[in-house]
Coordinates of all heavy atoms in Angstrom, one line a residue:
M234 N -26.8 16.3 -0.8 CA -26.0 15.2 -1.4 C -24.5 15.6 -1.3 O -24.1 16.7 -1.5 CB -26.4 15.1 -2.8 CG -25.7 14.0 -3.6 SD -26.5 13.9 -5.2 CE -25.7 12.4 -5.7
A235 N -23.7 14.6 -0.9 CA -22.2 14.9 -0.7 C -21.5 15.1 -2.1 O -21.9 14.5 -3.1 CB -21.6 13.7 0.0
R236 N -20.6 15.9 -2.1 CA -19.8 16.2 -3.3 C -18.7 15.2 -3.4 O -18.0 14.8 -2.5 CB -19.2 17.6 -3.2 CG -18.4 18.0 -4.4 CD -17.9 19.4 -4.2 NE -16.9 19.6 -5.3 CZ -16.0 20.5 -5.2 NH1 -16.0 21.3 -4.2 NH2 -15.2 20.7 -6.2
R237 N -18.5 14.7 -4.6 CA -17.4 13.7 -4.9 C -16.3 14.4 -5.6 O -16.5 15.0 -6.7 CB -17.9 12.5 -5.7 CG -18.9 11.8 -4.9 CD -19.4 10.6 -5.6 NE -20.4 9.9 -4.8 CZ -21.0 8.8 -5.2 NH1 -20.7 8.2 -6.3 NH2 -21.9 8.3 -4.4
N238 N -15.1 14.3 -5.1 CA -13.9 14.9 -5.8 C -13.1 13.9 -6.5 O -11.9 13.8 -6.3 CB -13.1 15.6 -4.7 CG -13.8 16.8 -4.1 OD1 -14.5 17.5 -4.9 ND2 -13.5 17.1 -2.9
R239 N -13.7 13.2 -7.4 CA -13.0 12.2 -8.1 C -12.9 12.6 -9.6 O -13.8 13.1 -10.2 CB -13.8 10.8 -8.1 CG -13.8 10.2 -6.7 CD -14.5 8.9 -6.8 NE -14.6 8.4 -5.4 CZ -15.5 7.5 -5.0 NH1 -16.3 7.0 -5.9 NH2 -15.5 7.1 -3.8
R240 N -11.7 12.4 -10.1 CA -11.5 12.7 -11.5 C -12.0 11.6 -12.4 O -11.9 10.4 -12.0 CB -10.0 12.9 -11.8 CG -9.4 14.1 -11.1 CD -8.0 14.3 -11.5 NE -7.4 15.4 -10.8 CZ -6.2 15.8 -10.9 NH1 -5.4 15.2 -11.8 NH2 -5.8 16.9 -10.3
A241 N -12.5 12.0 -13.5 CA -12.9 11.0 -14.5 C -11.7 10.3 -15.1 O -10.6 10.9 -15.2 CB -13.7 11.6 -15.6
A242 N -11.9 9.0 -15.4 CA -10.8 8.2 -16.0 C -10.5 8.8 -17.4 O -11.4 9.2 -18.1 CB -11.2 6.8 -16.1
E243 N -9.2 8.7 -17.7 CA -8.8 9.2 -19.0 C -9.3 8.3 -20.1 O -9.0 7.1 -20.1 CB -7.3 9.3 -19.1 CG -6.7 10.4 -18.2 CD -5.2 10.4 -18.3 OE1 -4.7 9.8 -19.3 OE2 -4.6 11.0 -17.5
P244 N -10.1 8.7 -21.1 CA -10.7 7.8 -22.1 C -9.6 7.3 -23.0 O -9.8 6.2 -23.6 CB -11.7 8.7 -22.8 CG -11.3 10.1 -22.5 CD -10.6 10.1 -21.2
S245 N -8.5 7.9 -23.2 CA -7.5 7.5 -24.1 C -6.6 6.3 -23.6 O -6.0 5.6 -24.3 CB -6.6 8.6 -24.5 OG -5.9 9.1 -23.4
A246 N -6.6 6.2 -22.3 CA -5.8 5.1 -21.7 C -6.6 3.8 -21.7 O -7.7 3.7 -21.1 CB -5.4 5.5 -20.3
P247 N -6.1 2.7 -22.3 CA -6.8 1.5 -22.3 C -6.7 0.8 -20.9 O -5.7 1.0 -20.2 CB -6.0 0.6 -23.3 CG -4.6 1.2 -23.3 CD -4.8 2.7 -23.0
P248 N -7.7 0.1 -20.5 CA -7.7 -0.5 -19.1 C -6.6 -1.6 -19.1 O -6.4 -2.3 -20.0 CB -9.1 -1.0 -18.9 CG -9.6 -1.2 -20.3 CD -8.9 -0.2 -21.2
V249 N -6.0 -1.7 -17.9 CA -5.0 -2.8 -17.7 C -5.6 -3.6 -16.6 O -5.7 -3.2 -15.5 CB -3.6 -2.3 -17.3 CG1 -2.7 -3.4 -17.0 CG2 -3.1 -1.4 -18.4
F250 N -6.0 -4.8 -17.0 CA -6.7 -5.7 -16.0 C -5.6 -6.4 -15.1 O -4.7 -7.0 -15.7 CB -7.6 -6.7 -16.7 CG -8.7 -6.0 -17.4 CD1 -8.6 -5.9 -18.8 CD2 -9.8 -5.5 -16.8 CE1 -9.6 -5.3 -19.5 CE2 -10.8 -4.9 -17.4 CZ -10.7 -4.8 -18.8
G251 N -5.7 -6.3 -13.9 CA -4.8 -7.0 -13.0 C -3.7 -6.1 -12.4 O -3.2 -6.4 -11.4
G252 N -3.3 -5.1 -13.1 CA -2.2 -4.2 -12.5 C -1.4 -3.4 -13.5 O -1.8 -3.3 -14.6
H253 N -0.3 -2.9 -13.0 CA 0.5 -2.0 -13.7 C 1.4 -2.8 -14.7 O 1.9 -3.9 -14.4 CB 1.4 -1.3 -12.7 CG 2.4 -0.4 -13.4 ND1 2.1 0.8 -14.0 CD2 3.7 -0.5 -13.5 CE1 3.2 1.3 -14.5 NE2 4.2 0.6 -14.2
E254 N 1.6 -2.3 -15.9 CA 2.4 -2.9 -16.9 C 3.6 -2.1 -17.3 O 3.5 -0.8 -17.4 CB 1.5 -3.1 -18.2 CG 2.1 -4.0 -19.2 CD 1.1 -4.3 -20.3 OE1 0.1 -5.1 -20.1 OE2 1.3 -3.7 -21.4
R255 N 4.8 -2.7 -17.4 CA 6.0 -2.0 -17.8 C 6.8 -2.9 -18.7 O 6.6 -4.0 -18.8 CB 6.7 -1.6 -16.5 CG 7.2 -2.8 -15.7 CD 7.7 -2.4 -14.3 NE 8.2 -3.6 -13.6 CZ 7.4 -4.4 -12.8 NH1 6.1 -4.2 -12.8 NH2 7.9 -5.4 -12.2
R256 N 7.9 -2.3 -19.2 CA 8.8 -3.1 -20.1 C 10.2 -3.1 -19.4 O 10.7 -2.1 -18.8 CB 9.0 -2.4 -21.4 CG 7.7 -2.4 -22.2 CD 7.9 -2.2 -23.6 NE 6.7 -2.0 -24.4 CZ 5.7 -2.9 -24.6 NH1 5.8 -4.0 -24.1 NH2 4.7 -2.6 -25.4
E257 N 10.8 -4.3 -19.4 CA 12.1 -4.5 -18.8 C 13.0 -5.3 -19.7 O 12.5 -6.2 -20.4 CB 12.0 -5.2 -17.4 CG 11.3 -4.4 -16.4 CD 11.3 -5.1 -15.0 OE1 12.1 -6.0 -14.8 OE2 10.5 -4.7 -14.2
S258 N 14.3 -5.0 -19.7 CA 15.2 -5.8 -20.5 C 15.8 -6.9 -19.6 O 16.0 -6.7 -18.4 CB 16.3 -4.9 -21.1 OG 17.0 -4.3 -20.1
W259 N 16.1 -8.0 -20.3 CA 16.8 -9.1 -19.6 C 17.6 -9.8 -20.7 O 17.1 -10.3 -21.7 CB 15.8 -10.1 -19.0 CG 16.4 -11.2 -18.3 CD1 17.7 -11.3 -17.7 CD2 15.8 -12.4 -17.9 NE1 17.9 -12.5 -17.1 CE2 16.7 -13.2 -17.2 CE3 14.6 -13.0 -18.2 CZ2 16.4 -14.5 -16.7 CZ3 14.3 -14.2 -17.7 CH2 15.2 -15.0 -17.0
G260 N 18.9 -9.7 -20.6 CA 19.8 -10.2 -21.6 C 19.7 -9.3 -22.8 O 19.8 -8.1 -22.7
E261 N 19.4 -9.9 -24.0 CA 19.2 -9.1 -25.2 C 17.8 -8.9 -25.5 O 17.5 -8.3 -26.5 CB 19.9 -9.8 -26.3 CG 21.5 -9.9 -26.1 CD 22.1 -10.5 -27.3 OE1 21.5 -10.7 -28.3 OE2 23.3 -10.9 -27.1
A262 N 16.9 -9.4 -24.7 CA 15.4 -9.3 -25.0 C 14.7 -8.3 -24.1 O 15.2 -7.9 -23.1 CB 14.8 -10.7 -24.8
I263 N 13.6 -7.8 -24.6 CA 12.8 -6.9 -23.8 C 11.5 -7.6 -23.5 O 10.9 -8.2 -24.4 CB 12.5 -5.6 -24.6 CG1 13.8 -4.8 -24.9 CG2 11.5 -4.7 -23.9 CD1 13.7 -3.6 -25.7
F264 N 11.1 -7.5 -22.2 CA 9.9 -8.2 -21.8 C 8.9 -7.2 -21.3 O 9.2 -6.2 -20.7 CB 10.3 -9.2 -20.6 CG 11.1 -10.3 -21.1 CD1 12.5 -10.3 -21.1 CD2 10.5 -11.5 -21.5 CE1 13.3 -11.3 -21.5 CE2 11.3 -12.6 -21.9 CZ 12.6 -12.5 -21.9
V265 N 7.6 -7.6 -21.4 CA 6.5 -6.9 -20.8 C 6.3 -7.5 -19.5 O 6.2 -8.8 -19.4 CB 5.3 -6.9 -21.7 CG1 4.1 -6.2 -21.0 CG2 5.5 -6.3 -23.1
V266 N 6.2 -6.7 -18.4 CA 6.0 -7.2 -17.1 C 4.7 -6.6 -16.5 O 4.6 -5.4 -16.4 CB 7.2 -6.9 -16.1 CG1 6.9 -7.4 -14.7 CG2 8.5 -7.4 -16.7
R267 N 3.7 -7.4 -16.2 CA 2.4 -6.9 -15.6 C 2.3 -7.4 -14.2 O 2.3 -8.6 -14.0 CB 1.3 -7.4 -16.5 CG -0.1 -6.9 -16.0 CD -1.2 -7.4 -16.8 NE -1.1 -6.7 -18.1 CZ -1.9 -7.1 -19.1 NH1 -2.7 -8.1 -19.0 NH2 -1.8 -6.5 -20.3
S268 N 2.1 -6.5 -13.3 CA 1.8 -6.8 -11.9 C 0.4 -7.3 -11.8 O -0.5 -6.6 -12.2 CB 2.1 -5.6 -11.0 OG 3.4 -5.2 -11.1
I269 N 0.2 -8.4 -11.1 CA -1.1 -8.9 -10.8 C -1.4 -8.9 -9.3 O -0.6 -9.4 -8.5 CB -1.2 -10.4 -11.3 CG1 -0.9 -10.5 -12.8 CG2 -2.6 -11.0 -11.1 CD1 -1.8 -9.8 -13.7
S270 N -2.5 -8.2 -9.0 CA -2.9 -8.1 -7.6 C -3.4 -9.5 -7.0 O -3.8 -10.4 -7.8 CB -4.0 -7.1 -7.4 OG -5.2 -7.5 -7.9
G271 N -3.4 -9.6 -5.8 CA -3.9 -10.9 -5.2 C -5.3 -11.1 -5.5 O -5.7 -12.3 -5.7
A272 N -6.1 -10.1 -5.6 CA -7.6 -10.2 -5.9 C -7.8 -10.7 -7.3 O -8.7 -11.4 -7.6 CB -8.3 -8.9 -5.7
A273 N -6.8 -10.4 -8.2 CA -7.0 -10.8 -9.6 C -6.3 -12.1 -9.9 O -6.6 -12.7 -11.0 CB -6.3 -9.7 -10.5
A274 N -5.6 -12.7 -9.0 CA -4.9 -14.0 -9.1 C -5.9 -15.1 -8.7 O -6.1 -15.4 -7.6 CB -3.7 -14.0 -8.3
T275 N -6.6 -15.6 -9.7 CA -7.6 -16.6 -9.4 C -7.2 -18.1 -9.6 O -8.0 -18.9 -9.3 CB -8.9 -16.3 -10.3 OG1 -8.5 -16.4 -11.7 CG2 -9.4 -14.9 -10.0
K276 N -6.1 -18.3 -10.2 CA -5.7 -19.7 -10.5 C -4.2 -19.9 -10.0 O -3.5 -18.9 -9.9 CB -5.7 -20.0 -12.0 CG -7.0 -19.9 -12.6 CD -7.1 -20.3 -14.1 CE -5.9 -20.0 -14.9 NZ -6.1 -20.3 -16.3
P277 N -3.9 -21.1 -9.7 CA -2.5 -21.4 -9.3 C -1.6 -21.5 -10.6 O -2.1 -21.9 -11.6 CB -2.5 -22.7 -8.5 CG -3.7 -23.4 -9.1 CD -4.7 -22.3 -9.4
Y278 N -0.3 -21.1 -10.4 CA 0.6 -21.2 -11.5 C 1.9 -21.7 -11.0 O 2.2 -21.7 -9.8 CB 0.9 -19.8 -12.2 CG -0.3 -19.2 -12.8 CD1 -1.1 -18.3 -12.2 CD2 -0.7 -19.6 -14.1 CE1 -2.3 -17.8 -12.8 CE2 -1.8 -19.1 -14.8 CZ -2.6 -18.2 -14.1 OH -3.7 -17.7 -14.7
R279 N 2.8 -22.2 -11.9 CA 4.2 -22.6 -11.5 C 5.2 -21.6 -11.9 O 5.3 -21.2 -13.0 CB 4.5 -23.9 -12.2 CG 5.8 -24.6 -11.9 CD 5.8 -25.2 -10.5 NE 4.7 -26.1 -10.2 CZ 4.5 -26.7 -9.1 NH1 5.3 -26.5 -8.1 NH2 3.5 -27.5 -8.9
C280 N 5.9 -21.1 -10.9 CA 6.9 -20.0 -11.1 C 8.2 -20.6 -11.8 O 8.7 -21.6 -11.3 CB 7.4 -19.4 -9.8 SG 8.7 -18.2 -9.9
P281 N 8.6 -20.1 -13.0 CA 9.8 -20.6 -13.6 C 11.1 -20.2 -12.9 O 12.1 -20.9 -13.2 CB 9.7 -20.0 -15.0 CG 8.9 -18.8 -14.9 CD 8.0 -19.0 -13.8
G282 N 11.1 -19.3 -12.0 CA 12.3 -18.9 -11.3 C 12.6 -19.8 -10.2 O 13.8 -20.1 -10.0
C283 N 11.6 -20.4 -9.5 CA 11.9 -21.3 -8.3 C 11.2 -22.6 -8.5 O 11.4 -23.5 -7.6 CB 11.5 -20.6 -7.0 SG 9.7 -20.3 -6.9
A284 N 10.4 -22.8 -9.5 CA 9.6 -24.0 -9.7 C 8.6 -24.3 -8.6 O 8.2 -25.5 -8.5 CB 10.6 -25.2 -10.0
Q285 N 8.3 -23.3 -7.8 CA 7.3 -23.5 -6.8 C 6.0 -23.0 -7.3 O 5.9 -22.2 -8.2 CB 7.7 -22.8 -5.5 CG 9.0 -23.3 -4.9 CD 8.9 -24.7 -4.4 OE1 7.9 -25.1 -3.8 NE2 9.9 -25.5 -4.8
E286 N 4.9 -23.4 -6.6 CA 3.6 -23.0 -7.0 C 3.3 -21.6 -6.5 O 3.6 -21.2 -5.4 CB 2.5 -23.9 -6.4 CG 1.1 -23.6 -6.8 CD 0.1 -24.5 -6.2 OE1 0.3 -25.1 -5.1 OE2 -1.0 -24.7 -6.8
I287 N 2.6 -20.8 -7.4 CA 2.1 -19.5 -7.0 C 0.6 -19.7 -6.7 O -0.1 -20.0 -7.7 CB 2.2 -18.4 -8.1 CG1 3.7 -18.3 -8.5 CG2 1.6 -17.1 -7.7 CD1 3.9 -17.4 -9.7
R288 N 0.2 -19.7 -5.5 CA -1.2 -20.0 -5.2 C -2.2 -19.0 -5.6 O -1.8 -17.8 -5.8 CB -1.3 -20.3 -3.7 CG -0.5 -21.5 -3.2 CD -0.6 -21.6 -1.7 NE -0.1 -20.3 -1.1 CZ -0.2 -20.0 0.1 NH1 -0.7 -20.8 1.0 NH2 0.3 -18.8 0.5
A289 N -3.4 -19.4 -5.8 CA -4.4 -18.4 -6.1 C -4.6 -17.4 -5.0 O -4.5 -17.7 -3.8 CB -5.8 -19.1 -6.3
G290 N -4.7 -16.1 -5.3 CA -4.8 -15.1 -4.3 C -3.5 -14.4 -3.9 O -3.5 -13.5 -3.1
V291 N -2.4 -14.9 -4.5 CA -1.1 -14.3 -4.2 C -0.7 -13.4 -5.3 O -0.7 -13.7 -6.5 CB 0.0 -15.5 -4.1 CG1 1.4 -14.9 -3.9 CG2 -0.4 -16.4 -2.9
A292 N -0.3 -12.2 -5.0 CA 0.2 -11.2 -5.9 C 1.4 -11.7 -6.6 O 2.3 -12.3 -5.9 CB 0.4 -9.8 -5.3
H293 N 1.6 -11.5 -7.9 CA 2.7 -11.9 -8.7 C 2.9 -11.1 -9.9 O 2.1 -10.1 -10.1 CB 2.7 -13.4 -9.0 CG 1.5 -13.8 -9.8 ND1 0.2 -14.0 -9.3 CD2 1.4 -14.1 -11.1 CE1 -0.6 -14.3 -10.3 NE2 0.1 -14.4 -11.4
V294 N 3.8 -11.4 -10.8 CA 3.9 -10.7 -12.1 C 3.8 -11.8 -13.2 O 4.1 -12.9 -13.1 CB 5.3 -10.0 -12.2 CG1 5.4 -8.9 -11.3 CG2 6.5 -10.9 -12.1
V295 N 3.3 -11.3 -14.4 CA 3.2 -12.0 -15.6 C 4.2 -11.4 -16.6 O 4.2 -10.2 -16.7 CB 1.8 -12.0 -16.2 CG1 1.7 -12.9 -17.4 CG2 0.8 -12.6 -15.2
V296 N 5.0 -12.2 -17.2 CA 6.1 -11.8 -18.0 C 6.0 -12.4 -19.4 O 5.8 -13.7 -19.4 CB 7.5 -12.1 -17.4 CG1 8.6 -11.6 -18.2 CG2 7.5 -11.5 -16.0
W297 N 6.2 -11.7 -20.4 CA 6.3 -12.3 -21.8 C 7.1 -11.4 -22.7 O 7.3 -10.2 -22.4 CB 4.9 -12.4 -22.4 CG 4.1 -11.2 -22.7 CD1 4.1 -10.5 -23.8 CD2 3.3 -10.5 -21.8 NE1 3.3 -9.4 -23.7 CE2 2.7 -9.4 -22.5 CE3 2.9 -10.6 -20.4 CZ2 1.9 -8.4 -21.9 CZ3 2.0 -9.7 -19.9 CH2 1.5 -8.6 -20.6
P298 N 7.8 -12.0 -23.7 CA 8.6 -11.2 -24.6 C 7.7 -10.2 -25.3 O 6.6 -10.4 -25.7 CB 9.1 -12.2 -25.6 CG 8.9 -13.6 -24.9 CD 7.8 -13.4 -24.0
S299 N 8.3 -9.0 -25.5 CA 7.5 -7.9 -26.1 C 7.2 -8.2 -27.5 O 6.2 -7.6 -28.1 CB 8.2 -6.5 -25.9 OG 9.5 -6.6 -26.6
A300 N 8.0 -9.0 -28.2 CA 7.7 -9.3 -29.6 C 6.7 -10.4 -29.7 O 6.2 -10.6 -30.8 CB 9.0 -9.8 -30.2
S301 N 6.3 -11.0 -28.7 CA 5.3 -12.1 -28.7 C 3.9 -11.6 -28.9 O 3.5 -10.6 -28.3 CB 5.3 -13.0 -27.5 OG 4.4 -14.0 -27.5
T302 N 3.1 -12.2 -29.8 CA 1.7 -11.8 -30.0 C 0.7 -12.8 -29.4 O -0.5 -12.5 -29.4 CB 1.5 -11.6 -31.5 OG1 1.7 -12.9 -32.2 CG2 2.4 -10.6 -32.1
D303 N 1.1 -13.9 -29.0 CA 0.2 -14.9 -28.4 C 0.4 -15.1 -26.9 O 1.4 -14.7 -26.4 CB 0.3 -16.2 -29.2 CG 1.6 -16.9 -29.1 OD1 2.6 -16.2 -28.6 OD2 1.8 -18.0 -29.5
A304 N -0.5 -15.7 -26.3 CA -0.4 -15.9 -24.8 C 0.4 -17.1 -24.5 O 0.7 -17.3 -23.3 CB -1.8 -16.1 -24.3
S305 N 0.9 -17.9 -25.4 CA 1.7 -19.1 -25.0 C 3.1 -18.7 -24.4 O 3.6 -19.5 -23.7 CB 1.9 -20.0 -26.3 OG 2.7 -19.3 -27.2
G306 N 3.6 -17.5 -24.7 CA 4.9 -17.1 -24.1 C 4.8 -16.5 -22.8 O 5.8 -16.1 -22.2
R307 N 3.6 -16.4 -22.2 CA 3.5 -15.7 -20.9 C 3.9 -16.7 -19.8 O 3.5 -17.8 -19.8 CB 2.0 -15.2 -20.7 CG 1.7 -14.1 -21.7 CD 0.3 -13.6 -21.4 NE 0.0 -12.6 -22.4 CZ -0.9 -11.7 -22.3 NH1 -1.7 -11.7 -21.2 NH2 -1.1 -10.8 -23.2
R308 N 4.6 -16.1 -18.8 CA 5.0 -16.9 -17.6 C 4.6 -16.1 -16.4 O 4.9 -14.9 -16.3 CB 6.5 -17.2 -17.6 CG 6.9 -18.0 -18.8 CD 6.4 -19.4 -18.8 NE 6.8 -20.2 -19.9 CZ 6.1 -20.5 -21.0 NH1 4.9 -20.0 -21.1 NH2 6.5 -21.2 -21.9
H309 N 4.1 -16.8 -15.4 CA 3.8 -16.2 -14.1 C 4.9 -16.4 -13.1 O 5.3 -17.6 -12.9 CB 2.5 -16.8 -13.6 CG 1.3 -16.5 -14.4 ND1 0.3 -15.6 -14.0 CD2 0.9 -17.0 -15.6 CE1 -0.6 -15.5 -15.0 NE2 -0.3 -16.3 -16.0
W310 N 5.5 -15.3 -12.6 CA 6.6 -15.4 -11.7 C 6.2 -14.8 -10.3 O 5.4 -13.9 -10.3 CB 7.7 -14.5 -12.2 CG 8.5 -15.0 -13.4 CD1 8.0 -15.1 -14.7 CD2 9.8 -15.3 -13.5 NE1 9.0 -15.5 -15.5 CE2 10.1 -15.6 -14.8 CE3 10.9 -15.4 -12.5 CZ2 11.4 -16.0 -15.2 CZ3 12.1 -15.8 -13.0 CH2 12.4 -16.1 -14.3
H311 N 6.8 -15.3 -9.2 CA 6.7 -14.6 -8.0 C 7.4 -13.3 -8.2 O 8.4 -13.2 -8.9 CB 7.5 -15.4 -6.9 CG 6.8 -16.7 -6.4 ND1 7.3 -17.9 -6.8 CD2 5.7 -16.8 -5.7 CE1 6.5 -18.8 -6.2 NE2 5.6 -18.2 -5.6
T312 N 7.0 -12.2 -7.6 CA 7.6 -10.9 -7.8 C 9.0 -11.0 -7.3 O 9.9 -10.4 -8.0 CB 6.8 -9.9 -7.0 OG1 5.4 -9.9 -7.4 CG2 7.3 -8.5 -7.2
S313 N 9.4 -11.6 -6.2 CA 10.7 -11.7 -5.8 C 11.6 -12.5 -6.7 O 12.8 -12.2 -6.9 CB 10.8 -12.2 -4.3 OG 10.2 -13.5 -4.3
C314 N 11.1 -13.6 -7.3 CA 11.8 -14.4 -8.2 C 12.2 -13.6 -9.5 O 13.3 -13.7 -10.0 CB 11.1 -15.7 -8.6 SG 10.9 -16.8 -7.2
W315 N 11.2 -12.8 -10.0 CA 11.5 -12.0 -11.1 C 12.6 -10.9 -10.8 O 13.5 -10.7 -11.6 CB 10.2 -11.3 -11.7 CG 10.5 -10.4 -12.8 CD1 10.5 -9.1 -12.8 CD2 10.9 -10.8 -14.1 NE1 10.8 -8.6 -14.1 CE2 11.0 -9.6 -14.9 CE3 11.1 -12.0 -14.8 CZ2 11.4 -9.6 -16.2 CZ3 11.4 -12.0 -16.1 CH2 11.6 -10.9 -16.8
A316 N 12.5 -10.4 -9.6 CA 13.5 -9.4 -9.2 C 14.9 -10.0 -9.1 O 15.9 -9.3 -9.3 CB 13.1 -8.7 -7.9
A317 N 15.0 -11.3 -8.7 CA 16.2 -12.0 -8.5 C 16.7 -12.8 -9.8 O 17.5 -13.6 -9.7 CB 16.2 -12.9 -7.3
R318 N 16.0 -12.6 -10.9 CA 16.3 -13.4 -12.1 C 17.7 -13.4 -12.6 O 18.2 -14.4 -13.1 CB 15.4 -13.0 -13.2 CG 15.6 -11.7 -13.8 CD 14.5 -11.2 -14.7 NE 14.8 -9.9 -15.3 CZ 14.5 -8.8 -14.7 NH1 14.0 -8.8 -13.4 NH2 14.8 -7.6 -15.2
A319 N 18.4 -12.3 -12.3 CA 19.8 -12.2 -12.8 C 20.7 -13.2 -11.9 O 21.7 -13.7 -12.5 CB 20.4 -10.8 -12.6
R320 N 20.4 -13.4 -10.7 CA 21.1 -14.3 -9.8 C 20.7 -15.8 -10.0 O 21.5 -16.7 -9.9 CB 20.9 -13.9 -8.4 CG 21.5 -12.6 -8.0 CD 21.5 -12.4 -6.5 NE 20.2 -12.6 -5.9 CZ 19.3 -11.7 -5.7 NH1 19.6 -10.4 -6.0 NH2 18.2 -11.9 -5.1
R321 N 19.4 -16.0 -10.3 CA 18.9 -17.3 -10.3 C 18.7 -17.9 -11.7 O 18.9 -19.0 -12.0 CB 17.5 -17.3 -9.6 CG 17.6 -16.9 -8.2 CD 16.3 -16.7 -7.6 NE 15.7 -18.0 -7.3 CZ 14.7 -18.2 -6.5 NH1 14.2 -17.2 -5.9 NH2 14.2 -19.4 -6.3
G322 N 18.1 -17.1 -12.6 CA 17.7 -17.5 -13.9 C 16.5 -18.4 -13.9 O 16.1 -18.9 -12.9
P323 N 15.8 -18.6 -15.0 CA 14.6 -19.4 -15.0 C 14.9 -20.9 -15.1 O 16.0 -21.2 -15.6 CB 13.9 -18.9 -16.3 CG 15.0 -18.5 -17.2 CD 16.1 -17.9 -16.3
T324 N 14.0 -21.7 -14.6 CA 14.2 -23.1 -14.8 C 13.7 -23.4 -16.2 O 14.1 -24.4 -16.8 CB 13.3 -23.9 -13.8 OG1 12.0 -23.4 -13.8 CG2 13.9 -23.7 -12.4
S325 N 12.8 -22.6 -16.8 CA 12.4 -22.7 -18.2 C 11.8 -21.3 -18.6 O 11.1 -20.7 -17.8 CB 11.3 -23.8 -18.3 OG 10.2 -23.4 -17.7
F326 N 12.0 -20.9 -19.8 CA 11.4 -19.7 -20.4 C 11.3 -19.8 -21.9 O 12.1 -20.2 -22.6 CB 12.1 -18.4 -20.0 CG 11.2 -17.3 -20.0 CD1 10.7 -16.7 -18.9 CD2 10.9 -16.6 -21.2 CE1 9.9 -15.6 -18.9 CE2 10.1 -15.6 -21.2 CZ 9.6 -15.1 -20.1

């Protein structure tokens, strides 16, 4: 039998479905930014940065205010639109 050199997952770390999560500031607010892989993107969304559709299967980011406790404040952005938000700004947030 072949030996597997894989480390066990850390039990203290909660799973993050869809990708890496980080915090970023924008203006005076702090936002949680979660990267969503193309495989985890199963529905189309409207990007508030460019008002174009993010098709299912396209990697993108989900952004919400860190103080928010409900899902209504979450917005799906193209990764490049979120990176260029200082130049463009959202069409709605």
Side-chain angles (χ1 to χ4, degrees):
M234 184 172 188
R236 180 176 169 203
R237 295 184 184 182
N238 291 327
R239 294 184 184 158
R240 292 184 181 181
E243 294 180 14
S245 61
V249 176
F250 298 102
H253 176 72
E254 194 172 285
R255 63 191 182 276
R256 298 199 186 295
E257 294 185 17
S258 62
W259 183 21
E261 296 181 13
I263 296 176
F264 292 89
V265 178
V266 181
R267 180 179 293 169
S268 299
I269 304 297
S270 68
T275 58
K276 299 187 322 187
Y278 295 96
R279 184 72 51 185
C280 174
C283 66
Q285 298 296 313
E286 182 181 30
I287 302 171
R288 296 176 302 171
V291 174
H293 61 281
V294 294
V295 180
V296 181
W297 66 93
S299 64
S301 178
T302 58
D303 61 350
S305 65
R307 294 183 180 198
R308 298 292 180 261
H309 294 253
W310 289 67
H311 290 106
T312 305
S313 59
C314 291
W315 177 251
R318 68 191 179 277
R320 292 190 309 268
R321 301 171 73 162
T324 56
S325 66
F326 204 102

